Amino acid sequence: MSIVNIEPNAVVLAGQVLSASRSSEASARLNASFGLGASLGVSHAFDQWRSLVDYSGFYIAAETDSLGNCRSVMVCHTLESGCDLWACLPLITHDPIKSILAQPAPEITQRTIQIACHDSQNRWLECSAHYFSLETGEPRSLLLVREITNEQQSALAFQQEKLRAIAYERFQFSILELILKEQDAVRILEKMVRDIEAMHADVYCALVLTKNLGKLVQTVIAPSLPQALLQTLRQLQLEAGNGSLATAIAIKQRVIVENVMTHPYWGNHREAALASGVQAGWSEPILNADGEVLGAFAIYYRQPQTPSALEQSMIEQATKLMSLVVDRHLSQESIQSLAYLEPVTGLPNRKRAYEVLQQLRAQPATDAHWGVVYIDLDHFKWINEAHGHAAGNSLLQQVAERLQKVAEPHFTACMGGDEFLVLLSGLAASADKALQQLLSMQRKLQKVFERPFKVSGQKLPITASMGLCSFNDISTGDTDYVKAADIAMHKAKQGGRNHACVYQPGMQTEIATQVMLETELREAIAQQQLRLHYQVQVDHTGRPFGAEVLLRWLHPQRGLISPLQFIAVAETSGLIIEIGMWVLDQACAQVALWQQSLNTRELSLSVNISARQFCQANFVAMVKACIQRHQINPNALRLELTESVLLENVDDAVRIMAELSQLGIQFSLDDFGTGYSSLQYLKKLPLYQLKIDRSFVNDIVTDSHDRTIVRTIIAMAQSMYLSVIAEGVETQEQMELLLNNGCRRYQGFLFGKPMPIEQFNDWLQEALI
């Protein structure tokens, strides 16, 4: 493959003009071709070239048009003038020479390349194109080709590198001086790009600055880059393997691509490269002092080639200067923008969101509506607790990137933590139509969460709850519509998560009640108002074999409060973790007391474990510590989990359950059949027992469908060698139907209601006689 070095002709020929007699024939042809309007500089260049070809093994001079068509051959080493130019030149030189014959920008008067012809003679050809115009204005080129020896080429290369090194020194000093004077970073960077292009003829340069920690393209500075490639850079996905520049940013290392038409990195961009006349490209990442990526600098060549070692070194120094400019610009910008950007995602923050909303409302009144979508990730705190804050931050950045892409051109903000907002303007004048447009955007945003997110090498599924609110100038008043959408979002969470809810008047009162309940629940924990009740579990003979511990809240004014009223608040607030560990500790303390008595030492105790509690990183350690503290036999402890807990991450669930099962702890799957029951995950879990939900037991006597479901659950449990227990058994008929279908363990009012421990122990002593 040829190696093409593109240099200004003045550099190549400097100091090499030899004294030689001028060919009168060549001069005559040259003058005839140029006409009266010919440039004396072009004529002088021919004189210089002619003085150097006496000892060349190959040379040729020809006049061509801008398309590379030969108009005449003036001098040739073997053939008469007028011969076929391209027949005289080696095939490997055709494309490189045609590229320099194409008319460049008006300020460029000549271009020179050196081509290594890897043939039997291993020749080097120096090819120069000098541009002039006929009297008619038609563009022409004087093409001068001569063979040079390896020694000459080495001397030329050394001289070129020396001159270029001097040029780069001057470049660095001039840029450093400019940095001290100029405040506009973009202007400095544009000058840097232009100066480097001037030092490397026939190349295009591009500087790309990024945002969101190198995830998105922010600015492209490429003053001479052809449109096709420029547009590609503006829309570039910054992923490894997606072009040399994107790869350099992604891996934070230099990337050199000798031939873009064959290299796999350029598979998606070959059409743009072809349209832009680009054949090679290499990129250097721009990093700050902490090693964080700020962007990348790229040079694109018009011929397949690689940069020399000196070129790489000099461009590396140039990118360090660029880093200095960008870092200085960012430090100035960050002082101004820090108050308006959320630090993890890089999105506008809550303060900025309210400013944008205020600006919208200050505009001249129109009939158009606006809309707010308030987004909160479901169970995000569990991910932080289970995988750490670094994983949580990575997830937030990915969510921000996806939401921003879907919501464009509308305003997207991060309101703090895992809460996001999309503000839509220019909706329809009709309230109904505006709402439909808002719902359409919400559906698009919801699709963002259909694909799992890759965090710490794992694929994490996550959902989001959304609140919607639309309004216009007439309806604004003093209402805080961001808060209204936030309230609707909390209503969506109460509806089971992964839902959307439109704000309606009256919701604020309902949400306020929930906030008050959370405050009172915190007080209840501090004042020890929580109580445990115990409900017996019996076998088919009616003999107790264990119990389930159930949580109650003894409120000083409202009396006994059902967990149905406060567990959801405990979950969303995070209080469930503290409550859950207290329940587990109390349960272990009770098991320890039972195990001291001959009558009760074989009893088991079932404890409900919340999803939030189970997903804690230290859950296993806390359970082990509780068992050791009370010195109980772990076989007596049965942990009840719901299907939703296990489906959060089946692999993690299997690992946690397996570790605790080795201690002897047994697991029961609660509310079986009401969720996403699947043999696919069921067979992976180290379960001891399935618990038939009371919703199937209630109508088992009268509803044939419920009977069929119950029979199926029992048969499934038996086939998998699992114990099965039915909850909510209240009549003798229900028990008999369950017994006839193979279920021999029960829990419900037929055998005993939940009782405080003192009352339960008294009842237990009589039942066990």
Side-chain angles (χ1 to χ4, degrees):
M1 183 173 294
S2 64
I3 300 175
V4 181
N5 296 311
I6 302 173
E7 301 295 341
N9 188 56
V11 173
V12 174
L13 298 179
Q16 295 187 45
V17 178
L18 304 176
S19 298
S21 61
R22 179 184 304 175
S23 165
S24 58
E25 180 185 356
S27 297
R29 290 186 179 277
L30 189 63
N31 292 330
S33 296
F34 290 171
L36 295 176
S39 166
L40 291 175
V42 177
S43 179
H44 179 64
F46 177 80
D47 288 344
Q48 289 181 312
W49 174 82
R50 184 67 186 87
S51 69
L52 298 173
V53 300
D54 289 344
Y55 301 101
S56 295
F58 176 91
Y59 58 87
I60 190 169
E63 178 192 349
T64 71
D65 61 21
S66 60
L67 299 177
N69 299 315
C70 181
R71 313 301 292 188
S72 67
V73 174
M74 293 174 289
V75 181
C76 185
H77 75 301
T78 55
L79 299 177
E80 295 297 327
S81 60
C83 69
D84 183 0
L85 168 67
W86 299 108
C88 294
L89 292 168
L91 183 61
I92 197 171
T93 67
H94 289 191
D95 286 341
I97 290 176
K98 285 179 180 177
S99 72
I100 68 168
L101 290 177
Q103 285 289 328
E107 63 270 16
I108 298 177
T109 58
Q110 75 280 325
R111 289 185 291 188
T112 299
I113 60 175
Q114 287 129 27
I115 306 172
C117 301
H118 298 310
D119 51 19
S120 58
Q121 299 173 358
N122 198 23
R123 295 180 296 170
W124 283 85
L125 295 183
E126 177 191 87
C127 311
S128 300
H130 301 263
Y131 311 109
F132 64 95
S133 298
L134 300 180
E135 290 181 334
T136 60
E138 187 178 351
R140 286 284 190 269
S141 298
L142 169 65
L143 176 64
L144 305 175
V145 180
R146 73 183 182 105
E147 180 182 343
I148 57 176
T149 65
N150 285 334
E151 291 77 11
Q152 287 175 315
Q153 195 280 330
S154 298
L156 284 173
F158 175 77
Q159 184 68 14
Q160 292 161 18
E161 299 286 73
K162 184 177 178 181
L163 290 172
R164 187 180 294 171
I166 294 171
Y168 261 89
E169 262 187 58
R170 292 173 180 167
F171 163 76
Q172 289 182 3
F173 279 117
S174 67
I175 294 301
L176 285 171
E177 188 177 8
L178 188 61
I179 290 173
L180 295 175
K181 296 178 180 178
E182 177 63 66
Q183 295 299 313
D184 189 336
V186 174
R187 288 182 61 182
I188 299 174
L189 295 171
E190 282 182 351
K191 175 171 172 48
M192 294 179 77
V193 170
R194 290 184 185 277
D195 285 354
I196 293 172
E197 283 184 335
M199 287 186 283
H200 295 261
D202 276 350
V203 301
Y204 301 121
C205 294
L207 192 155
V208 170
L209 302 180
T210 61
K211 59 182 178 179
N212 287 10
L213 301 176
K215 301 296 183 185
L216 293 173
V217 171
Q218 181 179 46
T219 305
V220 178
I221 299 174
S224 63
L225 196 66
Q227 189 62 32
L229 201 52
L230 179 62
Q231 194 62 26
T232 297
L233 292 185
R234 286 173 175 163
Q235 300 173 352
L236 192 62
Q237 298 292 318
L238 300 180
E239 301 169 348
N242 189 32
S244 49
L245 189 141
T247 305
I249 290 172
I251 68 175
K252 299 183 181 180
Q253 292 179 10
R254 179 184 304 150
V255 174
I256 298 175
V257 173
E258 181 181 1
N259 190 333
V260 301
M261 294 304 160
T262 58
H263 200 286
Y265 285 177
W266 281 74
N268 297 330
H269 311 302
R270 287 201 180 102
E271 285 187 16
L274 196 61
S276 304
V278 166
Q279 293 285 325
W282 64 281
S283 301
E284 183 85 17
I286 302 173
L287 308 175
N288 65 11
D290 297 324
E292 296 171 337
V293 66
L294 303 174
F297 179 67
I299 290 187
Y300 300 107
Y301 296 91
R302 300 185 191 182
Q303 296 299 327
Q305 67 183 77
T306 58
S308 67
L310 183 59
E311 279 182 312
Q312 294 183 46
S313 174
M314 289 187 294
I315 297 299
E316 184 179 353
Q317 295 303 314
T319 55
K320 288 179 180 177
L321 275 179
M322 292 172 185
S323 170
L324 185 66
V325 174
V326 177
D327 239 354
R328 179 172 176 263
H329 170 69
L330 290 177
S331 62
Q332 292 172 341
E333 196 177 58
S334 63
I335 295 171
Q336 301 170 359
S337 65
L338 192 59
Y340 293 100
L341 291 180
E342 195 281 324
V344 174
T345 62
L347 290 178
N349 61 10
R350 180 181 291 271
K351 181 179 180 181
R352 180 58 182 155
Y354 273 101
E355 282 194 4
V356 171
L357 182 60
Q358 188 175 3
Q359 290 167 7
L360 277 177
R361 295 170 69 167
Q363 291 176 1
T366 65
D367 292 333
H369 278 71
W370 303 311
V372 176
V373 182
Y374 205 101
I375 305 163
D376 184 84
L377 306 188
D378 297 329
H379 305 306
F380 174 72
K381 291 181 180 178
W382 300 359
I383 291 172
N384 263 348
E385 291 161 2
H387 300 280
H389 288 284
N393 287 347
S394 174
L395 174 62
L396 290 175
Q397 289 159 8
Q398 292 179 58
V399 170
E401 184 178 345
R402 290 192 193 180
L403 290 176
Q404 205 170 16
K405 283 183 181 178
V406 171
E408 282 184 336
H410 300 292
F411 176 81
T412 305
C414 181
M415 306 300 278
D418 62 331
E419 297 180 359
F420 298 86
L421 175 139
V422 176
L423 177 61
L424 289 80
S425 57
L427 301 182
S430 163
D432 290 340
K433 191 169 182 180
L435 180 58
Q436 291 305 312
Q437 290 173 323
L438 186 60
L439 288 168
S440 175
M441 174 56 77
Q442 180 272 322
R443 286 190 290 271
K444 291 177 183 177
L445 294 170
Q446 203 88 48
K447 287 184 178 179
V448 160
F449 301 95
E450 291 180 358
R451 291 184 293 115
F453 295 83
K454 193 171 183 180
V455 177
S456 300
Q458 300 182 51
K459 289 185 177 180
L460 294 183
I462 192 164
T463 58
S465 299
M466 302 187 188
L468 285 68
C469 180
S470 66
F471 54 97
N472 61 9
D473 287 318
I474 300 171
S475 61
T476 51
D478 296 325
T479 306
D480 184 342
Y481 285 94
V482 173
K483 184 63 179 175
D486 186 13
I487 289 169
M489 179 272 293
H490 280 89
K491 185 68 175 175
K493 278 196 178 292
Q494 292 173 12
R497 293 181 170 81
N498 198 23
H499 285 83
C501 181
V502 178
Y503 176 76
Q504 301 291 340
M507 280 186 182
Q508 194 156 358
T509 303
E510 186 177 340
I511 297 297
T513 302
Q514 296 296 316
V515 172
M516 183 183 69
L517 188 62
E518 180 184 330
T519 303
E520 290 185 344
L521 184 56
R522 291 183 187 276
E523 182 69 16
I525 295 171
Q527 298 298 324
Q528 299 182 349
Q529 296 171 9
L530 299 180
R531 300 287 186 270
L532 295 182
H533 284 198
Y534 295 75
Q535 186 173 31
V536 71
Q537 296 173 335
V538 302
D539 61 21
H540 64 286
T541 66
R543 184 172 179 79
F545 67 84
E548 180 181 3
V549 60
L550 301 166
L551 186 65
R552 299 291 184 267
W553 178 5
L554 186 59
H555 194 281
Q557 282 80 41
R558 297 199 292 273
L560 210 60
I561 299 177
S562 166
L564 294 176
Q565 294 177 255
F566 67 85
I567 286 296
V569 174
E571 284 273 8
T572 55
S573 64
L575 293 173
I576 194 67
I577 295 174
E578 184 180 353
I579 294 171
M581 287 313 301
W582 175 79
V583 171
L584 184 62
D585 187 73
Q586 293 294 304
C588 288
Q590 185 56 52
V591 168
L593 291 175
W594 283 347
Q595 288 181 351
Q596 294 174 14
S597 171
L598 185 64
N599 285 345
T600 56
R601 66 184 180 185
E602 299 300 326
L603 292 177
S604 64
L605 188 57
S606 295
V607 181
N608 288 290
I609 301 297
S610 75
R612 189 82 175 266
Q613 186 181 2
F614 185 77
C615 291
Q616 274 195 293
N618 60 345
F619 175 69
V620 172
M622 288 191 294
V623 173
K624 288 180 178 179
C626 201
I627 291 171
Q628 291 170 358
R629 184 163 56 250
H630 295 285
Q631 293 294 301
I632 66 170
N633 180 358
N635 291 321
L637 193 61
R638 192 162 299 150
L639 303 184
E640 292 195 3
L641 306 170
T642 61
E643 292 176 68
S644 61
V645 174
L646 304 177
L647 284 174
E648 286 292 330
N649 192 316
V650 175
D651 292 336
D652 280 352
V654 171
R655 177 183 54 78
I656 293 169
M657 293 170 69
E659 193 169 347
L660 292 176
S661 294
Q662 290 176 357
L663 300 177
I665 295 173
Q666 298 173 339
F667 287 91
S668 176
L669 189 56
D670 198 8
D671 301 336
F672 186 75
T674 61
Y676 301 95
S677 308
S678 167
L679 289 174
Q680 189 63 30
Y681 79 83
L682 199 60
K683 67 182 183 181
K684 295 181 179 180
L685 304 171
L687 291 170
Y688 165 76
Q689 176 180 271
L690 296 184
K691 197 168 193 180
I692 303 173
D693 186 66
R694 67 176 65 249
S695 62
F696 301 125
V697 175
N698 285 341
D699 300 322
I700 191 174
V701 177
T702 57
D703 192 321
S704 61
H705 294 295
D706 282 348
R707 284 198 298 275
T708 301
I709 292 172
V710 168
R711 278 198 300 269
T712 302
I713 293 173
I714 295 170
M716 181 189 301
Q718 290 173 345
S719 67
M720 301 181 72
Y721 304 102
L722 298 176
S723 171
V724 63
I725 183 172
E727 67 175 354
V729 181
E730 299 183 359
T731 68
Q732 190 67 32
E733 285 179 292
Q734 290 172 340
M735 177 188 166
E736 289 175 359
L737 262 172
L738 289 164
L739 178 60
N740 291 337
N741 282 283
C743 179
R744 297 174 177 272
R745 294 191 169 194
Y746 322 99
Q747 178 181 338
F749 284 7
L750 179 62
F751 313 103
K753 294 183 178 181
M755 313 173 198
I757 188 60
E758 298 80 12
Q759 184 180 346
F760 182 77
N761 277 333
D762 292 342
W763 177 89
L764 200 58
Q765 292 303 323
E766 293 182 12
L768 291 173
I769 294 175

